[in-house]
Amino acid sequence: MSQILSVQGSPRGERSHSRRLVDAFLQDWARQASGRQIVPREVGRAAIPPISEAWIAAAFQPAEQRDAAMRADLAFSDQLVDELLGADRLVIATPMYNFGLPSAVKAWVDQIVRIGRTFDFDPGRPDNPYVPLTLGKRALIVTTRGDHGYGPGAIHAARNHADTHLRTVLEFIGIDDITVIAVEDDEYGGQSFADSYARAERALAELAGSF
Ligand SMILES: Cc1cc2nc3c(=O)[nH]c(=O)nc-3n(C[C@H](O)[C@H](O)[C@H](O)COP(=O)(O)O)c2cc1C
């Protein structure tokens, strides 16, 4: 059995290109075999809280030493981490906002990068003290941009801190099988956007069979 955790990052509903592309991909993917499950995690249209001082204190306290208040501070984060660890596939739909991730998606990231749960820290390993714990998963990032030239090697690649940031985070916690599909030129519209969108649709249709 295969389960996708579907993280939707756009605050837009029907007008969101990333949301629409991922919804179509998920339907396609679910049709390919019986027993495939999708766990939706709304982020862009929800209020994922930023982490707080209490959250940080609780997260860095060993689990067996947390009191009831600390456990409550981490309850929602634990739920988000459980969703991630319970799925063997992760699909994230996110726009690029101001060259990076929408703050809601960043809030989700901050909630799921958890010491002792999705990664560990072992100072006894001098070459690399970080131990990824989120293993055996595959990820797809569908990202949309108003402008163009943000892909690997393209003219504005160095300004892209959106899907590249997610890649860094996912690899850090242990997810290194990552596919990125991008749509560009939303703000220009016209043929260049239509072509970019159609390319993404084709790539997603192809991926649905093997993801
Ligand atoms: C607040 C805001 C900031 C944006 N910043 C960028 C940007 O830095 N670079 C870019 O190419 N597009 C930018 N855009 C355009 C969006 O990435 C684009 O419209 C995208 O399609 C939105 O995703 P969605 O269709 O899934 O909602 C921005 C849009 C908004 C609303």
Side-chain angles (χ1 to χ4, degrees):
M1 194 191 70
S2 206
Q3 185 164 301
I4 286 181
L5 173 64
S6 166
V7 174
Q8 286 285 7
S10 177
R12 302 206 288 182
E14 286 177 5
R15 299 170 79 179
S16 162
H17 304 301
S18 59
R19 185 180 293 275
R20 192 180 325 109
L21 284 165
V22 161
D23 282 345
F25 172 80
L26 293 175
Q27 280 182 24
D28 213 2
W29 177 83
R31 262 199 306 269
Q32 310 267 341
S34 61
R36 291 187 160 184
Q37 292 182 355
I38 297 159
V39 175
R41 167 46 61 192
E42 183 60 56
V43 164
R45 290 158 81 83
I48 305 292
I51 60 172
S52 62
E53 180 168 1
W55 187 103
I56 296 166
F60 287 89
Q61 185 83 356
E64 62 281 4
Q65 293 171 21
R66 287 181 199 134
D67 60 22
M70 285 177 158
R71 288 196 293 276
D73 288 327
L74 291 179
F76 184 52
S77 169
D78 277 329
Q79 183 188 333
L80 296 180
V81 169
D82 289 345
E83 286 174 0
L84 176 63
L85 296 179
D88 59 349
R89 301 277 187 273
L90 170 65
V91 176
I92 302 177
T94 183
M96 170 186 276
Y97 276 1
N98 302 313
F99 309 103
L101 295 170
S103 54
V105 179
K106 179 57 164 55
W108 178 82
V109 164
D110 289 344
Q111 295 283 355
I112 58 96
V113 179
R114 278 278 304 279
I115 191 160
R117 295 220 59 199
T118 54
F119 78 99
D120 233 330
F121 178 71
D122 178 0
R125 292 174 27 147
D127 45 333
N128 182 8
Y130 298 105
V131 184
L133 298 178
T134 314
L135 303 175
K137 301 187 195 304
R138 200 171 164 190
L140 165 66
I141 299 169
V142 176
T143 184
T144 43
R145 310 160 184 153
D147 201 353
H148 54 263
Y150 294 107
I155 187 161
H156 298 310
R159 291 183 178 174
N160 176 3
H161 308 286
D163 54 288
T164 50
H165 180 180
L166 276 177
R167 179 183 285 280
T168 300
V169 168
L170 295 181
E171 287 177 353
F172 176 75
I173 63 173
I175 304 175
D176 52 15
D177 182 349
I178 303 169
T179 304
V180 177
I181 293 177
V183 175
E184 297 195 312
D185 277 341
D186 176 35
E187 275 164 18
Y188 290 82
Q191 199 56 45
S192 60
F193 172 67
D195 289 348
S196 182
Y197 193 91
R199 268 195 303 277
E201 279 187 312
R202 279 197 300 276
L204 287 167
E206 205 173 302
L207 186 65
S210 60
F211 189 73

